[in-house]
Amino acid sequence: TAYEKAVVDANDAKNFYLLVEVYDNLTNLYFDLRDFNSTKKYAMMAIEGARKHGQISILANSFNVLSNVYKLEGDYRNAYEYATLFKVYSDSSSNEQTRKEILSLESKYEFEKNRQEIAQLTITNLKRQAEINRSYFTISIGAVIGIILLAILFYFFSRYKHKALLAEKETKLKEEKIV
């Protein structure tokens, strides 16, 4: 069957997690077929592997199936023992799932918080850059105005000097004409 091939493939690949999953599926299959000897065999193999690899949900399922098998066979002592183990491991599995969900939500919350913080920092940096650009613009305008004022002053000073020289030359010429 496909499950037997899956067992061989999982063993060859040394994928023991997959192997335990296959044993769990075989447990459920043989239970549905009411082949209780095979159900017990694969349930015990699933339990052994699940304990080694910490697969709590598979432990819970295997204990539940074994409890049902023993109940149907009339072995109520074993049915009770496996029902008790099922309860313990299903609670653990549920707690583990809840813990994973909480960690997932916490991770999503932290991611969103960091994303918003990055967005806020980006906005702050853009505002600062705009302020810096305004400052550079103001300084540039001030420098241009200063240069223009210096040019105007230089122009008027040069004209004044030029007029003063002309006036001095005229005065010398008038003095020479008088003398």
Side-chain angles (χ1 to χ4, degrees):
T1 68
Y3 282 118
E4 291 167 347
K5 181 172 176 5
V7 168
V8 170
D9 289 346
N11 270 322
D12 289 347
K14 298 203 184 313
N15 187 340
F16 300 111
Y17 290 97
L18 176 62
L19 183 61
V20 173
E21 294 276 347
V22 173
Y23 288 153
D24 186 50
N25 288 335
L26 284 166
T27 299
N28 292 325
L29 172 71
Y30 284 116
F31 179 77
D32 290 341
L33 295 173
R34 299 295 188 238
D35 180 350
F36 295 145
N37 287 330
S38 295
T39 301
K40 290 180 206 176
K41 171 186 163 188
Y42 285 109
M44 296 310 284
M45 293 168 80
I47 289 168
E48 181 183 339
R51 279 190 172 144
K52 284 182 186 175
H53 303 291
Q55 293 167 285
I56 295 172
S57 62
I58 291 178
L59 281 169
N61 181 63
S62 296
F63 290 137
N64 186 41
V65 171
L66 285 174
S67 172
N68 290 326
V69 166
Y70 284 116
K71 183 169 41 173
L72 290 171
E73 290 180 340
D75 183 351
Y76 297 109
R77 186 180 65 76
N78 277 328
Y80 175 74
E81 286 181 27
Y82 284 111
T84 303
L85 288 170
F86 164 69
K87 177 69 175 143
V88 168
Y89 282 94
S90 66
D91 287 349
S92 294
S93 177
S94 175
N95 289 342
E96 180 67 17
Q97 186 61 31
T98 302
R99 187 183 70 77
K100 286 180 182 177
E101 288 174 12
I102 289 170
L103 287 175
S104 174
L105 288 173
E106 184 179 358
S107 174
K108 288 176 184 175
Y109 167 76
E110 288 296 326
F111 174 78
E112 184 62 25
K113 185 173 131 185
N114 288 341
R115 189 187 67 75
Q116 288 177 354
E117 189 175 314
I118 289 169
Q120 186 60 43
L121 289 173
T122 301
I123 290 169
T124 302
N125 284 340
L126 289 173
K127 286 179 181 178
R128 285 184 185 159
Q129 188 61 44
E131 288 175 18
I132 291 169
N133 289 344
R134 271 194 299 274
S135 296
Y136 286 151
F137 181 73
T138 303
I139 291 170
S140 297
I141 294 295
V144 168
I145 290 172
I147 291 171
I148 290 172
L149 287 175
L150 283 175
I152 291 171
L153 284 174
F154 180 73
Y155 171 74
F156 283 116
F157 181 74
S158 295
R159 267 187 87 193
Y160 172 76
K161 275 285 222 186
H162 183 64
K163 283 184 180 181
L165 280 173
L166 281 177
E168 191 180 313
K169 284 185 182 180
E170 271 183 41
T171 307
K172 280 187 184 178
L173 278 174
K174 283 183 184 177
E175 287 176 4
E176 285 179 13
K177 282 188 185 179
I178 295 182
V179 175

